[in-house]
Coordinates of all heavy atoms in Angstrom, one line a residue:
M1 N 28.9 31.2 -23.9 CA 29.0 32.0 -25.0 C 30.0 31.4 -25.9 O 31.1 30.9 -25.5 CB 29.4 33.4 -24.6 CG 29.3 34.4 -25.7 SD 30.2 35.9 -25.8 CE 31.8 35.6 -25.3
D2 N 29.8 31.5 -27.2 CA 30.6 30.9 -28.2 C 31.7 31.8 -28.8 O 32.4 31.5 -29.8 CB 29.8 30.2 -29.3 CG 29.0 31.2 -30.1 OD1 29.1 32.5 -29.9 OD2 28.4 30.8 -31.1
G3 N 31.8 33.0 -28.2 CA 32.7 34.0 -28.8 C 32.0 35.0 -29.7 O 32.7 36.0 -30.1
N4 N 30.8 34.7 -30.1 CA 30.1 35.7 -31.0 C 29.3 36.7 -30.2 O 28.2 36.3 -29.8 CB 29.2 34.9 -32.0 CG 28.5 35.8 -32.9 OD1 28.6 37.0 -32.9 ND2 27.6 35.2 -33.8
L5 N 29.8 37.8 -30.0 CA 29.2 38.9 -29.2 C 27.9 39.3 -29.8 O 27.0 39.7 -29.1 CB 30.1 40.0 -29.0 CG 31.4 39.9 -28.2 CD1 32.2 41.1 -28.2 CD2 31.1 39.3 -26.8
Y6 N 27.7 39.1 -31.2 CA 26.5 39.6 -31.8 C 25.3 38.6 -31.5 O 24.2 38.9 -31.8 CB 26.7 39.7 -33.3 CG 27.6 41.0 -33.6 CD1 29.0 40.9 -33.6 CD2 27.0 42.2 -33.8 CE1 29.8 42.0 -33.9 CE2 27.7 43.4 -34.0 CZ 29.1 43.2 -34.0 OH 29.9 44.4 -34.2
A7 N 25.6 37.4 -31.0 CA 24.6 36.4 -30.7 C 23.9 36.7 -29.4 O 22.9 36.1 -29.1 CB 25.2 35.0 -30.7
L8 N 24.5 37.6 -28.6 CA 24.0 37.9 -27.3 C 23.0 39.1 -27.4 O 23.0 39.8 -28.3 CB 25.1 38.4 -26.4 CG 26.2 37.3 -26.1 CD1 27.4 37.9 -25.3 CD2 25.6 36.1 -25.4
S9 N 22.1 39.1 -26.4 CA 21.0 40.1 -26.3 C 21.7 41.5 -26.2 O 22.7 41.6 -25.5 CB 20.1 39.9 -25.1 OG 19.4 38.6 -25.4
A10 N 21.0 42.5 -26.7 CA 21.5 43.8 -26.6 C 21.2 44.4 -25.2 O 20.2 44.0 -24.6 CB 20.8 44.7 -27.7
P11 N 22.0 45.3 -24.8 CA 21.7 45.9 -23.5 C 20.4 46.8 -23.6 O 20.0 47.2 -24.7 CB 22.9 46.9 -23.2 CG 23.9 46.5 -24.3 CD 23.2 45.8 -25.4
T12 N 19.8 47.0 -22.4 CA 18.6 47.9 -22.5 C 19.0 49.3 -22.7 O 20.2 49.7 -22.4 CB 17.8 47.8 -21.1 OG1 18.7 48.2 -20.0 CG2 17.3 46.4 -20.9
A13 N 18.1 50.1 -23.1 CA 18.4 51.5 -23.5 C 19.0 52.3 -22.3 O 20.0 53.1 -22.4 CB 17.2 52.3 -24.0
D14 N 18.6 52.0 -21.1 CA 19.1 52.7 -19.9 C 20.4 52.3 -19.5 O 21.0 53.0 -18.6 CB 18.1 52.7 -18.8 CG 17.9 51.2 -18.2 OD1 18.1 50.3 -19.1 OD2 17.5 51.1 -17.1
A15 N 21.0 51.3 -20.1 CA 22.4 50.8 -19.7 C 23.4 51.7 -20.4 O 24.5 51.5 -20.1 CB 22.4 49.3 -20.1
F16 N 23.0 52.4 -21.5 CA 24.1 53.2 -22.2 C 24.5 54.4 -21.6 O 23.6 55.2 -21.1 CB 23.5 53.5 -23.6 CG 23.5 52.2 -24.6 CD1 22.4 51.4 -24.5 CD2 24.6 52.1 -25.4 CE1 22.4 50.3 -25.4 CE2 24.6 50.9 -26.3 CZ 23.5 50.0 -26.3
A17 N 25.8 54.8 -21.7 CA 26.3 56.0 -21.3 C 26.7 56.8 -22.6 O 27.2 56.2 -23.5 CB 27.5 55.8 -20.4
D18 N 26.3 58.0 -22.6 CA 26.6 58.9 -23.8 C 27.8 59.8 -23.5 O 28.0 60.4 -22.5 CB 25.4 59.8 -24.1 CG 24.2 59.0 -24.6 OD1 24.3 57.9 -25.1 OD2 23.1 59.6 -24.5
F19 N 28.6 59.7 -24.6 CA 29.8 60.6 -24.6 C 29.6 61.5 -25.8 O 29.7 61.1 -27.0 CB 31.1 59.8 -24.8 CG 31.3 58.8 -23.6 CD1 30.8 57.5 -23.7 CD2 32.0 59.1 -22.5 CE1 30.9 56.6 -22.7 CE2 32.2 58.2 -21.5 CZ 31.6 56.9 -21.6
C20 N 29.3 62.8 -25.5 CA 28.8 63.8 -26.4 C 29.8 64.8 -26.8 O 30.5 65.3 -25.9 CB 27.5 64.4 -26.0 SG 26.2 63.1 -25.6
G21 N 29.7 65.2 -28.0 CA 30.5 66.4 -28.5 C 29.5 67.5 -28.7 O 28.5 67.6 -28.0
G22 N 29.7 68.4 -29.7 CA 28.8 69.5 -30.0 C 27.4 68.9 -30.5 O 27.4 67.8 -31.0
N23 N 26.4 69.6 -30.2 CA 25.1 69.1 -30.6 C 24.6 69.9 -31.8 O 23.7 70.7 -31.7 CB 24.1 69.2 -29.5 CG 24.3 68.3 -28.4 OD1 24.6 67.1 -28.7 ND2 24.2 68.6 -27.2
A24 N 25.2 69.5 -33.0 CA 24.9 70.2 -34.2 C 23.4 70.1 -34.6 O 22.8 71.0 -35.1 CB 25.8 69.7 -35.3
G25 N 22.8 68.9 -34.4 CA 21.5 68.7 -34.8 C 20.4 68.6 -33.7 O 19.3 68.3 -34.0
G26 N 20.8 68.9 -32.5 CA 19.9 68.8 -31.4 C 20.4 68.0 -30.2 O 21.6 67.6 -30.4
P27 N 19.7 67.9 -29.2 CA 20.1 67.2 -28.0 C 20.6 65.8 -28.3 O 19.9 65.0 -29.0 CB 19.0 67.2 -27.0 CG 18.1 68.3 -27.6 CD 18.4 68.4 -29.0
H28 N 21.8 65.4 -27.9 CA 22.3 64.1 -28.0 C 22.3 63.5 -29.4 O 22.2 62.4 -29.5 CB 21.5 63.1 -27.0 CG 21.6 63.5 -25.6 ND1 22.7 63.5 -24.8 CD2 20.7 64.2 -24.7 CE1 22.5 63.9 -23.6 NE2 21.3 64.4 -23.5
E29 N 22.5 64.4 -30.3 CA 22.6 63.9 -31.7 C 24.1 63.7 -32.1 O 24.3 63.1 -33.2 CB 21.9 64.8 -32.7 CG 21.7 64.2 -34.0 CD 20.8 65.0 -34.9 OE1 19.7 65.2 -34.7 OE2 21.4 65.4 -36.0
T30 N 25.0 64.1 -31.3 CA 26.4 63.8 -31.7 C 27.1 63.0 -30.6 O 28.2 63.5 -30.1 CB 27.1 65.2 -32.0 OG1 27.0 66.0 -30.8 CG2 26.5 65.8 -33.2
C31 N 26.6 61.9 -30.2 CA 27.0 61.2 -29.1 C 27.5 59.8 -29.6 O 27.0 59.2 -30.5 CB 26.0 60.9 -28.0 SG 25.4 62.4 -27.3
V32 N 28.6 59.3 -28.9 CA 28.9 57.9 -29.0 C 28.3 57.2 -27.7 O 28.6 57.7 -26.6 CB 30.4 57.7 -29.1 CG1 30.8 56.2 -29.0 CG2 31.0 58.3 -30.3
S33 N 27.6 56.2 -27.8 CA 26.9 55.5 -26.7 C 27.6 54.2 -26.4 O 27.9 53.5 -27.4 CB 25.4 55.3 -26.9 OG 24.8 56.6 -27.1
L34 N 27.8 53.9 -25.2 CA 28.5 52.7 -24.8 C 27.8 52.0 -23.6 O 27.3 52.6 -22.8 CB 29.9 53.0 -24.3 CG 30.8 51.9 -23.8 CD1 31.4 51.1 -24.9 CD2 31.9 52.5 -22.9
A35 N 27.6 50.7 -23.7 CA 27.0 49.9 -22.7 C 27.6 48.5 -22.6 O 28.0 47.9 -23.7 CB 25.5 49.7 -22.9
P36 N 27.7 47.9 -21.4 CA 28.1 46.5 -21.3 C 27.1 45.6 -21.9 O 26.0 45.8 -21.8 CB 28.3 46.4 -19.8 CG 27.5 47.4 -19.2 CD 27.3 48.5 -20.2
I37 N 27.6 44.5 -22.4 CA 26.7 43.4 -23.0 C 26.4 42.5 -21.9 O 27.2 41.9 -21.2 CB 27.5 42.7 -24.1 CG1 27.8 43.6 -25.3 CG2 26.6 41.6 -24.6 CD1 28.6 42.9 -26.4
P38 N 25.0 42.3 -21.6 CA 24.6 41.4 -20.5 C 25.1 39.9 -20.9 O 24.9 39.5 -22.0 CB 23.1 41.5 -20.6 CG 22.8 42.8 -21.3 CD 24.0 43.0 -22.3
G39 N 25.6 39.3 -19.9 CA 26.0 37.9 -20.1 C 27.4 37.7 -20.7 O 27.8 36.6 -21.0
A40 N 28.1 38.8 -21.0 CA 29.5 38.7 -21.5 C 30.4 39.5 -20.6 O 30.2 40.6 -20.3 CB 29.5 39.2 -22.9
D41 N 31.4 38.8 -20.1 CA 32.4 39.5 -19.2 C 33.2 40.5 -19.9 O 33.8 40.2 -20.9 CB 33.3 38.4 -18.6 CG 34.2 39.0 -17.5 OD1 33.8 39.9 -16.8 OD2 35.3 38.5 -17.4
A42 N 33.1 41.8 -19.5 CA 34.0 42.8 -20.1 C 33.8 42.9 -21.6 O 34.8 42.9 -22.4 CB 35.4 42.7 -19.7
S43 N 32.6 43.0 -22.1 CA 32.3 43.2 -23.5 C 31.3 44.3 -23.7 O 30.4 44.5 -22.8 CB 31.8 41.9 -24.1 OG 32.8 40.9 -24.1
F44 N 31.4 45.0 -24.8 CA 30.6 46.3 -24.9 C 30.0 46.5 -26.3 O 30.5 46.0 -27.3 CB 31.5 47.5 -24.6 CG 32.1 47.4 -23.2 CD1 33.4 46.7 -23.1 CD2 31.6 47.9 -22.1 CE1 34.0 46.6 -21.8 CE2 32.1 47.8 -20.8 CZ 33.3 47.1 -20.7
V45 N 28.9 47.3 -26.2 CA 28.2 47.7 -27.5 C 28.6 49.2 -27.6 O 28.4 49.9 -26.6 CB 26.7 47.5 -27.4 CG1 26.0 48.2 -28.5 CG2 26.4 46.1 -27.3
V46 N 29.0 49.6 -28.8 CA 29.2 51.0 -29.1 C 28.2 51.3 -30.3 O 28.1 50.5 -31.2 CB 30.6 51.2 -29.6 CG1 30.8 52.7 -30.0 CG2 31.6 50.8 -28.6
R47 N 27.5 52.5 -30.1 CA 26.6 52.9 -31.1 C 26.7 54.4 -31.3 O 27.2 55.2 -30.5 CB 25.2 52.4 -30.9 CG 24.6 53.0 -29.6 CD 23.1 52.5 -29.4 NE 22.6 53.2 -28.2 CZ 21.4 52.8 -27.6 NH1 20.8 51.8 -28.1 NH2 20.9 53.5 -26.7
D48 N 26.2 54.8 -32.5 CA 26.1 56.3 -32.8 C 24.8 56.8 -32.6 O 23.7 56.2 -32.9 CB 26.4 56.3 -34.3 CG 26.6 57.7 -34.9 OD1 26.3 58.7 -34.2 OD2 27.1 57.8 -36.0
S49 N 24.7 58.0 -32.0 CA 23.3 58.5 -31.7 C 22.7 59.4 -32.9 O 21.5 59.7 -32.8 CB 23.4 59.5 -30.5 OG 24.2 60.7 -30.8
K50 N 23.4 59.6 -34.0 CA 22.9 60.3 -35.1 C 21.8 59.5 -35.8 O 21.9 58.3 -35.8 CB 24.0 60.7 -36.1 CG 24.9 61.7 -35.5 CD 25.9 62.2 -36.6 CE 27.1 61.3 -36.8 NZ 27.8 60.9 -35.6
P51 N 20.8 60.1 -36.3 CA 19.7 59.4 -36.9 C 20.2 58.3 -38.0 O 19.6 57.3 -38.1 CB 18.8 60.5 -37.6 CG 19.1 61.7 -36.8 CD 20.5 61.6 -36.3
E52 N 21.2 58.8 -38.7 CA 21.7 57.8 -39.8 C 22.4 56.5 -39.2 O 22.5 55.6 -39.9 CB 22.8 58.5 -40.6 CG 22.3 59.8 -41.3 CD 22.3 61.0 -40.4 OE1 22.7 61.0 -39.3 OE2 21.8 62.0 -40.9
G53 N 22.7 56.6 -37.9 CA 23.3 55.4 -37.3 C 22.3 54.6 -36.4 O 22.7 53.6 -35.9
A54 N 21.0 55.0 -36.5 CA 20.0 54.3 -35.6 C 20.0 52.8 -36.1 O 20.0 52.4 -37.2 CB 18.6 54.9 -36.0
G55 N 20.0 51.9 -35.0 CA 19.9 50.6 -35.2 C 21.2 49.9 -35.6 O 21.2 48.6 -35.6
K56 N 22.3 50.6 -35.7 CA 23.6 50.0 -36.0 C 24.4 50.0 -34.8 O 24.4 51.0 -34.0 CB 24.2 50.8 -37.1 CG 23.5 50.8 -38.4 CD 24.1 51.7 -39.4 CE 23.2 51.8 -40.7 NZ 23.7 52.8 -41.6
E57 N 25.2 49.0 -34.6 CA 26.1 48.9 -33.5 C 27.4 48.0 -33.7 O 27.3 47.3 -34.7 CB 25.3 48.4 -32.3 CG 24.9 46.9 -32.5 CD 24.1 46.3 -31.3 OE1 23.3 47.1 -30.7 OE2 24.3 45.1 -31.1
L58 N 28.3 48.3 -32.9 CA 29.5 47.5 -33.0 C 29.7 46.9 -31.6 O 29.4 47.5 -30.6 CB 30.7 48.4 -33.3 CG 30.7 49.1 -34.7 CD1 31.9 50.1 -34.7 CD2 30.9 48.0 -35.8
R59 N 30.2 45.7 -31.6 CA 30.4 45.0 -30.3 C 31.9 44.6 -30.2 O 32.5 44.1 -31.2 CB 29.6 43.8 -30.2 CG 28.1 44.1 -30.2 CD 27.2 43.0 -30.0 NE 25.8 43.4 -29.9 CZ 24.9 42.7 -29.3 NH1 25.1 41.5 -28.7 NH2 23.6 43.2 -29.3
F60 N 32.5 44.8 -29.0 CA 33.9 44.6 -28.8 C 34.1 44.0 -27.4 O 33.3 44.2 -26.5 CB 34.7 45.9 -28.8 CG 34.6 46.7 -30.1 CD1 33.7 47.7 -30.2 CD2 35.5 46.4 -31.1 CE1 33.6 48.4 -31.4 CE2 35.4 47.1 -32.3 CZ 34.5 48.1 -32.4
T61 N 35.2 43.2 -27.3 CA 35.6 42.8 -26.0 C 36.3 43.9 -25.3 O 36.7 44.9 -26.0 CB 36.6 41.6 -26.1 OG1 37.8 42.1 -26.7 CG2 36.1 40.4 -26.8
G62 N 36.5 43.9 -24.0 CA 37.1 45.0 -23.3 C 38.5 45.1 -23.8 O 39.0 46.3 -24.0
T63 N 39.2 44.1 -24.1 CA 40.6 44.1 -24.6 C 40.6 44.9 -26.0 O 41.5 45.7 -26.2 CB 41.2 42.7 -24.8 OG1 41.2 42.1 -23.5 CG2 42.6 42.8 -25.3
E64 N 39.7 44.5 -26.9 CA 39.6 45.2 -28.2 C 39.3 46.7 -28.1 O 40.0 47.5 -28.7 CB 38.6 44.6 -29.1 CG 38.8 43.2 -29.5 CD 37.6 42.4 -30.1 OE1 36.5 42.7 -29.8 OE2 37.9 41.5 -31.0
L65 N 38.4 47.0 -27.2 CA 38.1 48.4 -27.0 C 39.2 49.2 -26.3 O 39.4 50.3 -26.6 CB 36.7 48.5 -26.1 CG 35.9 49.7 -26.3 CD1 35.6 50.1 -27.7 CD2 34.7 49.6 -25.5
D66 N 39.9 48.5 -25.3 CA 41.0 49.2 -24.7 C 42.1 49.5 -25.7 O 42.7 50.5 -25.7 CB 41.6 48.3 -23.5 CG 40.7 48.2 -22.4 OD1 39.7 49.0 -22.3 OD2 41.0 47.3 -21.6
D67 N 42.4 48.5 -26.6 CA 43.4 48.7 -27.6 C 43.0 49.9 -28.5 O 43.9 50.7 -28.9 CB 43.6 47.4 -28.4 CG 44.7 47.5 -29.5 OD1 45.8 47.9 -29.0 OD2 44.4 47.4 -30.6
F68 N 41.7 49.9 -28.9 CA 41.3 51.0 -29.8 C 41.4 52.3 -29.1 O 42.0 53.3 -29.6 CB 39.8 50.9 -30.2 CG 39.2 52.1 -30.8 CD1 39.5 52.6 -32.0 CD2 38.4 52.9 -29.9 CE1 39.0 53.7 -32.5 CE2 37.9 54.1 -30.5 CZ 38.2 54.5 -31.8
A69 N 41.0 52.4 -27.8 CA 41.0 53.7 -27.0 C 42.4 54.2 -26.8 O 42.7 55.4 -27.0 CB 40.3 53.4 -25.7
T70 N 43.3 53.3 -26.4 CA 44.7 53.7 -26.2 C 45.3 54.2 -27.5 O 46.1 55.1 -27.6 CB 45.6 52.7 -25.5 OG1 45.5 51.5 -26.2 CG2 45.1 52.5 -24.1
G71 N 45.1 53.5 -28.6 CA 45.6 53.8 -29.9 C 45.0 55.2 -30.3 O 45.7 56.0 -30.9
W72 N 43.7 55.4 -30.1 CA 43.1 56.7 -30.5 C 43.7 57.9 -29.7 O 44.1 58.9 -30.3 CB 41.6 56.6 -30.2 CG 40.9 57.9 -30.4 CD1 40.4 58.8 -29.5 CD2 40.5 58.5 -31.7 NE1 39.8 59.9 -30.1 CE2 39.9 59.7 -31.4 CE3 40.8 58.1 -33.0 CZ2 39.4 60.5 -32.5 CZ3 40.3 58.9 -34.0 CH2 39.6 60.1 -33.7
V73 N 43.9 57.6 -28.4 CA 44.5 58.7 -27.6 C 46.0 59.0 -28.1 O 46.4 60.1 -28.3 CB 44.5 58.3 -26.1 CG1 45.4 59.2 -25.2 CG2 43.1 58.4 -25.6
R74 N 46.7 57.9 -28.3 CA 48.1 58.1 -28.8 C 48.1 58.8 -30.1 O 48.9 59.8 -30.4 CB 48.8 56.8 -28.9 CG 50.2 56.8 -29.2 CD 50.9 55.4 -29.2 NE 50.2 54.4 -29.9 CZ 49.4 53.4 -29.4 NH1 49.3 53.4 -28.0 NH2 48.8 52.5 -30.1
T75 N 47.3 58.3 -31.1 CA 47.2 58.9 -32.4 C 46.9 60.4 -32.5 O 47.4 61.2 -33.2 CB 46.3 58.1 -33.4 OG1 46.7 56.8 -33.4 CG2 46.2 58.7 -34.8
R76 N 45.9 60.7 -31.6 CA 45.4 62.1 -31.6 C 46.3 63.0 -30.6 O 46.1 64.2 -30.6 CB 44.0 62.1 -31.0 CG 43.0 61.3 -31.8 CD 42.4 62.1 -33.0 NE 41.7 63.2 -32.4 CZ 41.4 64.4 -33.0 NH1 41.8 64.6 -34.2 NH2 40.7 65.3 -32.4
G77 N 47.3 62.5 -30.0 CA 48.2 63.3 -29.1 C 47.4 63.8 -27.9 O 47.8 64.8 -27.3
L78 N 46.5 63.0 -27.4 CA 45.8 63.4 -26.3 C 46.4 62.8 -24.9 O 47.2 61.9 -25.0 CB 44.3 62.8 -26.3 CG 43.5 63.2 -27.6 CD1 42.2 62.4 -27.7 CD2 43.2 64.7 -27.7
S79 N 46.0 63.4 -23.8 CA 46.5 62.9 -22.6 C 45.3 63.0 -21.6 O 44.4 63.8 -21.8 CB 47.7 63.7 -22.1 OG 47.4 65.1 -21.9
L80 N 45.4 62.2 -20.6 CA 44.3 62.2 -19.5 C 44.7 63.1 -18.4 O 45.8 63.2 -18.0 CB 44.0 60.8 -19.1 CG 43.5 59.9 -20.3 CD1 43.3 58.5 -19.8 CD2 42.2 60.4 -20.8

């Protein structure tokens, strides 16, 4: 891999885990979906389940996603 996570194949649909909030528009319409990227060590695809987000995704290394997640928790004053 040359470091370009977008050059790698997308995960299959069944590889995604959904993290859902309220379902304002129907089942699973307010979810953030996450799946590991095949062929990349500790790298992930994040996508939005809302119709407006269809076909769009973000790709991150595990380190990038961990930094985002810990920053989000800290900024929001959340605890585990």
Side-chain angles (χ1 to χ4, degrees):
M1 192 201 46
D2 66 1
N4 181 358
L5 297 177
Y6 290 90
L8 299 171
S9 298
T12 59
D14 62 336
F16 283 86
D18 291 336
F19 299 90
C20 302
N23 286 321
H28 300 288
E29 193 173 294
T30 57
C31 302
V32 173
S33 299
L34 177 75
I37 299 174
D41 187 38
S43 295
F44 303 89
V45 171
V46 178
R47 64 183 186 188
D48 184 350
S49 67
K50 290 186 279 311
E52 300 83 5
K56 299 174 185 170
E57 63 182 36
L58 297 170
R59 295 182 178 208
F60 298 96
T61 65
T63 301
E64 292 167 332
L65 203 51
D66 290 348
D67 184 55
F68 167 76
T70 55
W72 176 255
V73 167
R74 185 176 51 255
T75 300
R76 300 274 296 157
L78 304 173
S79 61
L80 300 175

